[in-house]
């Protein structure tokens, strides 16, 4: 069973930093894209940062200059370094990845989410 597991969330004061991690595990042939999303309860999920298998990456305007996405292909992990956090960044953060199992198609996978809370 392929799984994505996030970690690193928590409570931080405004201006502080957190680093989220997401690990893919299970029978994995390859990992394509790896993205971070966030969701405030009652609102739609929005993408925050994304990285692709060719090394490309992109950020939502709301986090540019503050968040940095990186990945370790050997470890099948993606990270999100979040600096200068603001109360508006409070949300549940989800890891999303396109994963191929041996002999199978590319499937979209989601983690269970990790809570980031920023106090003013």
């Amino acid at each position: 069973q392929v799984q994505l597991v996030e970690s690193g969330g928590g409570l931080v004061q405004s201006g502080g930093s957190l680093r989220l991690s997401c690990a893919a595990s299970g029978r994995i042939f390859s990992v394509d894209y790896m993205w971070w999303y966030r969701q405030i309860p009652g609102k739609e999920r929005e993408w925050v940062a994304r990285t692709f298998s060719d090394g490309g990456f992109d950020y939502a305007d709301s986090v540019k200059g503050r968040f940095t996405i990186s990945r370790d292909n050997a470890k099948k992990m993606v990270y999100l370094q979040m600096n200068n956090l603001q109360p508006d960044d409070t949300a549940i953060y989800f890891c999303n990845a396109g994963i191929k199992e041996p002999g199978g198609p590319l499937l979209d996978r989601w983690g269970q989410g990790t809570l980031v809370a920023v106090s003013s």
Side-chain angles (χ1 to χ4, degrees):
Q1 182 77 9
V2 173
Q3 283 188 314
L4 291 175
V5 178
E6 303 98 334
S7 61
L11 175 63
V12 65
Q13 289 189 330
S14 180
S17 298
L18 283 174
R19 187 187 190 221
L20 304 183
S21 299
C22 172
S25 63
R27 295 180 68 247
I28 296 174
F29 176 74
S30 64
V31 181
D32 190 69
Y33 55 87
M34 300 188 86
W35 294 23
W36 287 99
Y37 282 76
R38 66 186 180 187
Q39 186 170 24
I40 300 169
K43 294 192 175 182
E44 287 191 2
R45 194 171 294 187
E46 63 175 2
W47 77 271
V48 174
R50 52 192 180 186
T51 181
F52 303 95
S53 58
D54 64 358
F57 54 89
D58 196 9
Y59 299 95
D61 288 343
S62 58
V63 306
K64 277 181 182 176
R66 300 188 298 123
F67 291 10
T68 302
I69 190 170
S70 61
R71 63 189 284 174
D72 185 329
N73 290 325
K75 294 182 178 179
K76 300 181 181 64
M77 294 190 70
V78 63
Y79 308 94
L80 188 67
Q81 176 66 42
M82 305 185 294
N83 298 329
N84 191 22
L85 283 160
Q86 300 300 314
D88 284 350
D89 296 315
T90 296
I92 300 172
Y93 284 71
F94 296 90
C95 177
N96 169 248
I99 295 175
K100 290 187 68 173
E101 296 183 45
L106 183 70
L107 295 178
D108 192 62
R109 302 283 187 173
W110 290 87
Q112 82 289 347
T114 185
L115 177 63
V116 171
V118 185
S119 62
S120 57

